[in-house]
Amino acid sequence: MYKPTLIPEPDFLAEKLHQQKEDTFDSSTLDLANPQVLLETLQKLRQMVIKEGEDIFLPWRSHIQREVFLNSGLNLAHYMALRRHDLRPLQAALIPWGLSSLGRLEARVMPSLDAVISTLEAICQVNPDTLPNRPSIQAFLAGDQLLHQQAEEILGQTKAERQVRIMVTLPTEAANDTEFMQDLLRRGTNCVRINCAHDNAEIWQAMISNLRKAEQETGLGCKILMDLGGPKPRLGRVTAPKHKKRIHQGECLVLTHDSPKKNPNNFQASCTLPEVLDRLEVGATAWIDDGRIGARVESITKKGVHLRITHTGLKGSKLATDKGLNFPDTDLQLSPLTAKDREDLDFVATHADIIGYSFVQTADDIKLLQEELATRRLHPNKIAIMAKIETPQAVSNLPELIMQAAGQQPFAVMIARGDLAIAIGYQRLTEIQEEILWLCEAAHIPVIWATQVLENLVKEGIPSRAEMTDAAMAQRAECVMLNKGAFVAEAVTILDDVLTRMQEHQLKKTPQLRALHSW
């Protein structure tokens, strides 16, 4: 009978860690073609994962109040311990024996190691009386079931042929159009997003009322995510020199604390969070409008911060009010909860199923929101939190964010790929989004794949080939978010079809070997 690794009490862990000595794991110089060496290597790896995993888990234990998350937290610790080591030689050695290469063990670290070790013991004709025994099917699949349960609790139920949910950002018009809501639900929408950076409580209430009516009419359920605006710096009023409509590479933009001058010599714009300008230094990088315009701080004067434009479109780019500002290499020292967010929380805390939290960077940021919820709800831990991962600090602190949030209440993660790409660079985004998916799967945390999914289709009615591939890649998340646009309903239908087709071929990282009919 399989005996899974139990979660020891903190005192026991501390004593055990004190007794154990540091060790290292290196499989690159071993004769892994020998099954006995392979078995001994895996046994050593298993012991190291247990020891290092407990070392990681010990500081987390006091933050976990939800019993359902205990095994998830320990599995995450084991996964982080495992991924400290380069396992590529070991993986290559396992494949010729027809064994798992350990490349898909995120949700079940110890059962996967134990299953491979048990099979190697059979190959080597040994029969140890000690752990590990072969895990049962139930134990092996327990992590996948936990992830499925968390996704269903937070993001709602979906149909069997499409496990990945579809989230739609609601436009203001949704407050006046019940038929629009019904159409979204019938086409396959499972969750709607209300962006609290726009509109007001009266309009949000009308959206929610229309959604509830649509649920009754269609018999289909739908979760509500209300996304707090957060401290997002944006362009305020914009003024341009005479006869200039676009800014070009090499030109100057002056960011001002107050309203910009009329008919200036250079482009000027106010900043919606003027205190941000006081944090900037000469040489700092700036990006405008989701990275469409790049700049660098050239000088700082009484008139404002002078940005030299480094990147625009070939014919220049338009500067418009409300476009986002990003300063990826500057610590802006902003609280993730603004005064407006706290005011919005009075409504959000009692109407949302999920609270979207922007610009989260540390576990203390999560704690801040939890404290605010405690003043507004009788049972604050019943509502789900969704953290938007959009900065390098949030990526680095993701395990601690997960512990602070999921240790107390339902928790999900959104990969906010727009701001994240600007913050870490587009090249790094490709690998970091994968690492976020893996880490969250190890913690059994559902993930929302976001930013410009099927953007051309949503806005223009015709998809690009690249965004269709991107939508197919989203199969590895638990939910995909669409932004608002004139053709968003049609986009839901196409995304539903893509995700349904891809489910026959891919489940998270695992290819599904269905019968092929193309040849």
Side-chain angles (χ1 to χ4, degrees):
M1 180 180 296
Y2 177 65
K3 299 178 182 178
T5 303
L6 300 178
I7 302 171
E9 291 301 315
D11 291 344
F12 173 81
L13 274 176
E15 181 181 352
K16 188 173 182 181
L17 289 171
H18 181 72
Q19 293 172 349
Q20 289 175 325
K21 298 180 180 179
E22 291 296 322
D23 201 353
T24 58
F25 178 82
D26 182 9
S27 62
S28 61
T29 60
L30 300 176
D31 179 17
L32 296 178
N34 184 330
Q36 185 63 45
V37 173
L38 195 54
L39 173 60
E40 293 170 359
T41 301
L42 274 165
Q43 289 171 332
K44 179 181 179 183
L45 175 63
R46 181 183 188 275
Q47 292 304 313
M48 293 187 66
V49 168
I50 291 175
K51 178 174 72 71
E52 294 177 10
E54 289 173 345
D55 196 9
I56 294 170
F57 183 74
L58 178 59
W60 293 347
R61 180 63 181 85
S62 61
H63 296 283
I64 301 177
Q65 299 176 9
R66 296 168 68 219
E67 186 175 349
V68 70
F69 187 67
L70 281 171
N71 285 328
S72 300
L74 186 59
N75 189 74
L76 173 60
H78 286 151
Y79 182 72
M80 291 175 62
L82 182 79
R83 293 304 303 267
R84 287 177 173 178
H85 308 284
D86 187 351
L87 303 179
R88 288 174 292 180
L90 178 61
Q91 287 184 291
L94 287 168
I95 294 173
W97 291 95
L99 299 174
S100 168
S101 66
L102 306 177
R104 297 187 291 273
L105 53 52
E106 280 75 13
R108 46 181 180 270
V109 175
M110 296 311 301
S112 296
L113 287 173
D114 290 350
V116 175
I117 290 172
S118 180
T119 301
L120 271 172
E121 287 174 342
I123 292 173
C124 296
Q125 297 182 337
V126 296
N127 185 25
D129 297 327
T130 58
L131 282 176
N133 296 330
R134 182 177 297 279
S136 67
I137 295 297
Q138 291 80 5
F140 194 81
L141 298 179
D144 301 277
Q145 292 170 352
L146 280 170
L147 176 56
H148 175 77
Q149 291 167 6
Q150 290 302 305
E152 196 166 81
E153 177 184 356
I154 298 169
L155 299 166
Q157 296 182 343
T158 185
K159 49 190 180 181
E161 59 269 25
R162 173 173 60 79
Q163 289 297 304
V164 180
R165 292 146 187 85
I166 297 175
M167 178 187 293
V168 173
T169 302
L170 294 181
T172 303
E173 295 74 26
N176 305 312
D177 193 345
T178 306
E179 292 184 1
F180 171 74
M181 292 288 201
Q182 293 180 18
D183 190 33
L184 286 182
L185 297 191
R186 291 193 175 102
R187 288 174 182 263
T189 301
N190 309 107
C191 184
V192 296
R193 171 178 175 256
I194 297 175
N195 187 353
C196 296
H198 305 289
D199 305 317
N200 55 47
E202 183 179 354
I203 294 175
W204 303 335
Q205 180 64 70
M207 290 177 177
I208 293 170
S209 297
N210 282 340
L211 176 64
R212 297 312 182 203
K213 291 176 184 176
E215 287 180 308
Q216 293 176 355
E217 289 292 329
T218 62
L220 300 168
C222 187
K223 294 284 189 176
I224 297 172
L225 163 68
M226 297 196 72
D227 204 348
L228 299 174
K232 175 68 172 179
R234 296 180 182 275
L235 294 178
R237 183 185 172 195
V238 178
T239 59
K242 287 184 178 181
H243 312 301
K244 295 278 289 186
K245 293 184 177 180
R246 293 174 178 266
I247 195 167
H248 292 79
Q249 184 175 338
E251 293 185 321
C252 183
L253 166 65
V254 181
L255 294 179
T256 64
H257 289 78
D258 304 314
S259 296
K261 294 181 179 180
K262 296 181 179 179
N263 302 319
N265 294 327
N266 296 316
F267 282 89
Q268 293 191 7
S270 60
C271 178
T272 57
L273 294 177
E275 63 269 29
V276 163
L277 304 183
D278 299 328
R279 308 291 184 194
L280 299 178
E281 297 180 355
V282 173
T285 302
W287 293 96
I288 305 169
D289 192 11
D290 290 334
R292 292 179 175 86
I293 302 172
R296 189 171 297 278
V297 177
E298 186 174 74
S299 64
I300 300 173
T301 69
K302 293 181 179 180
K303 294 180 180 179
V305 175
H306 295 248
L307 301 180
R308 185 63 60 182
I309 302 301
T310 57
H311 298 82
T312 64
L314 289 175
K315 297 181 179 180
S317 299
K318 290 184 178 181
L319 290 171
T321 297
D322 205 39
K323 295 301 182 182
L325 289 167
N326 292 82
F327 304 99
D329 49 11
T330 300
D331 182 3
L332 300 180
Q333 302 177 29
L334 296 173
S335 169
L337 279 182
T338 66
K340 180 181 183 302
D341 293 333
R342 287 180 167 87
E343 182 180 332
D344 292 344
L345 265 176
D346 294 339
F347 180 93
V348 171
T350 56
H351 290 81
D353 299 304
I354 317 161
I355 297 178
Y357 199 16
S358 302
F359 304 102
V360 181
Q361 301 197 81
T362 68
D364 284 340
D365 293 338
I366 296 288
K367 188 176 181 180
L368 177 63
L369 177 57
Q370 290 171 331
E371 290 171 349
E372 292 290 336
L373 288 175
T375 67
R376 291 167 172 82
R377 286 179 64 105
L378 181 60
H379 301 290
N381 293 342
K382 297 294 184 183
I383 192 168
I385 292 175
M386 183 212 68
K388 297 168 72 173
I389 305 302
E390 47 199 330
T391 67
Q393 293 85 355
V395 173
S396 298
N397 294 327
L398 184 53
E400 287 72 29
L401 297 179
I402 290 173
M403 286 302 128
Q404 179 63 41
Q408 298 189 33
Q409 60 204 109
F411 181 62
V413 160
M414 176 180 284
I415 309 178
R417 299 182 299 161
D419 284 318
L420 186 58
I422 294 170
I424 66 175
Y426 286 89
Q427 299 94 323
R428 287 208 68 208
L429 175 67
T430 54
E431 61 176 335
I432 292 299
Q433 68 185 12
E434 296 301 306
E435 293 179 10
I436 293 172
L437 283 167
W438 299 341
L439 198 75
C440 288
E441 186 179 359
H444 312 135
I445 297 296
V447 174
I448 297 95
W449 183 274
T451 309
Q452 295 184 324
V453 177
L454 296 178
E455 189 77 356
N456 287 346
L457 174 59
V458 169
K459 297 287 197 293
E460 308 294 337
I462 300 176
S464 70
R465 289 178 289 276
E467 68 185 21
M468 292 300 292
T469 301
D470 178 58
M473 293 285 285
Q475 173 67 37
R476 294 163 305 152
E478 280 65 50
C479 183
V480 185
M481 190 190 86
L482 296 174
N483 283 323
K484 54 191 175 184
F487 299 93
V488 68
E490 291 81 356
V492 171
T493 297
I494 291 178
L495 182 58
D496 173 70
D497 185 43
V498 169
L499 294 174
T500 300
R501 291 174 182 272
M502 284 303 299
Q503 184 162 305
E504 297 186 356
H505 298 281
Q506 188 79 23
L507 177 64
K508 299 296 281 184
K509 287 171 63 182
T510 306
Q512 303 290 94
L513 303 183
R514 53 153 281 189
L516 295 180
H517 303 292
S518 299
W519 300 278

